[in-house]
Structure formats: structure tokens, C-alpha cells
Amino acid sequence: MRKRATVICRRGNRILLVARRSKWALPGGMLKRGEHLSAAALRELKEETRLSGKSAKFLFQHRGRQKHHHVFLCDVPKRAKPRASNEISRCRWVNVADVSRLATNTPTKSIVKALGGGRGK
């Protein structure tokens, strides 16, 4: 099973999602050889959204069918605006309670649910 660093950026009740093709997902990606998980989370955030994370705090793990997600909370500057980059076509801040209604992949829905959905966890 491949390891993936998955990033949660939160602003109040909203989280940052990125669009790959037609589906929304959490930022993140695969580790480079010898790379630490938290470094991969910050690198992927920067590559996909051009946002520089201040830190990457490990939250939990989620095992999907094909990938093992290591989920990190990344703080980004409050006024910074994400801009789609690399394979990402769009970035958007979304209310946590609305994620289940969007076209997202299964791991994204499961990870957001584990965060507490819209219940403010």
C-alpha cells in the first residue's frame, strides 16, 4: 500500500479542497524517496496550491483501498489565497458540512467525516 501525505487546511468551518480532473480532493500526494511525511505534506501543499504551510501537525491515519493516508493539519497565512498549480485545476475553501454533497473521492469524504464533519471538531 502506497503512503500518501494528505493535508487539511482549515479556516473556521471551511477546509481547502483542490480539483483534480472533475473531482474535489484534499491536497496531498505521494512521498519522495527518503522524504519525511510532514515534509511531504508541506511540499505537496506548496506544489498544488502555492501556499506555504507554517507547520504540519500529524492528526491521524486513514487506510483506503489503494493508499495509506497520513493526515496533517497545516497552518497557512490567514490572508493567503490558494492558486491552482501542477495537476490541480481549481482550489476552493468549502464549508465542512458541504463536502459530502460535492463530487469528491471516497477517501476525502471519509477523512472529512473523521474530522467531525460539520460538528466543529
Side-chain angles (χ1 to χ4, degrees):
M1 187 169 287
R2 299 184 320 180
K3 288 184 180 180
R4 182 182 197 277
T6 300
V7 180
I8 303 285
C9 290
R10 223 173 164 156
R11 287 189 178 160
N13 287 330
R14 298 182 308 153
I15 60 172
L16 181 63
L17 295 182
V18 296
R20 290 179 175 90
R21 300 180 203 106
S22 62
K23 289 196 174 189
W24 291 98
L26 294 163
M30 308 312 282
L31 279 70
K32 291 184 177 179
R33 183 178 210 108
E35 187 175 37
H36 191 272
L37 286 161
S38 61
L42 293 171
R43 176 185 52 78
E44 286 289 343
L45 179 65
K46 179 83 169 175
E47 287 178 1
E48 294 181 358
T49 68
R50 298 185 185 170
L51 291 176
S52 294
K54 296 178 184 177
S55 63
K57 177 185 173 193
F58 178 75
L59 295 177
F60 57 88
Q61 296 179 36
H62 170 77
R63 288 187 183 267
R65 288 188 309 198
Q66 298 174 345
K67 295 176 186 157
H68 184 177
H69 297 259
H70 297 265
V71 182
F72 290 85
L73 178 66
C74 289
D75 292 323
V76 295
K78 291 185 180 195
R79 299 203 191 280
K81 294 188 181 194
R83 295 184 320 231
S85 186
N86 283 354
E87 74 274 13
I88 303 306
S89 59
R90 295 175 286 163
C91 301
R92 179 171 138 190
W93 290 98
V94 177
N95 190 301
V96 175
D98 295 335
V99 171
S100 63
R101 293 184 282 246
L102 295 174
T104 63
N105 59 32
T106 302
T108 294
K109 286 183 181 174
S110 298
I111 290 167
V112 171
K113 185 176 179 181
L115 282 172
R119 295 187 301 268
K121 279 189 180 178

